[in-house]
Amino acid sequence: MIKKLLILVFLGFSGTVLAQADARDPDKLKLASANALILDAQAGVPIYAKAANEVSPIASLTKLMTAMVTLDSGQPLDELLAVDMEDFDFLKGSRSRLNLGTQLPRREMLRLALMSSENRAASTLARHHP
């Protein structure tokens, strides 16, 4: 059971889903994702699939590349970076927990961009790249 939970956490599902890890009825799962695949880690068989075979763009590829370029630049990870109006997404209107003027070290912006898929953090990192 623990390995199933680890897969669910890795895929970023909510605590509601974790409590219902063995519920295989798609109507009982509250997933915001358009695509999902939950595997039994020991047996290697799918427990739940939602549009798992559909071709989808890689949403976080840009964030991963931003992180790699940021790390390769050798800039100080303790340097404070500030979220600016340029980091706001007015085209798609994506949400963020980072408000205008938020100041965090480059290290924390990296963590937010990668672990929370935080678009404003990735934008701030890119904007502060030499």
Side-chain angles (χ1 to χ4, degrees), residues 82-88 99-102 120 123-124 127-128:
V83 175
D84 197 345
M85 285 300 290
E86 295 175 51
D87 303 317
F88 281 66
N99 296 322
L100 179 65
T102 299
R120 283 189 196 155
S123 176
T124 302
R127 200 170 40 75
H128 284 88

Side-chain angles (χ1 to χ4, degrees), residues 37-104:
L37 177 61
I38 302 172
L39 295 174
D40 181 319
Q42 291 177 329
V45 295
I47 295 173
Y48 173 79
K50 177 181 176 186
N53 293 323
E54 289 183 18
V55 177
S56 301
I58 301 171
S60 296
L61 185 60
T62 302
K63 287 187 224 30
L64 289 171
M65 293 303 297
T66 300
M68 290 175 62
V69 169
T70 298
L71 290 171
D72 288 346
S73 75
Q75 296 296 306
L77 295 178
D78 294 331
E79 181 182 352
L80 284 179
L81 308 179
V83 175
D84 197 345
M85 285 300 290
E86 295 175 51
D87 303 317
F88 281 66
D89 173 18
F90 294 108
L91 184 63
K92 293 183 182 178
S94 59
R95 296 181 336 156
S96 174
R97 288 166 282 201
L98 296 178
N99 296 322
L100 179 65
T102 299
Q103 291 187 0
L104 294 170

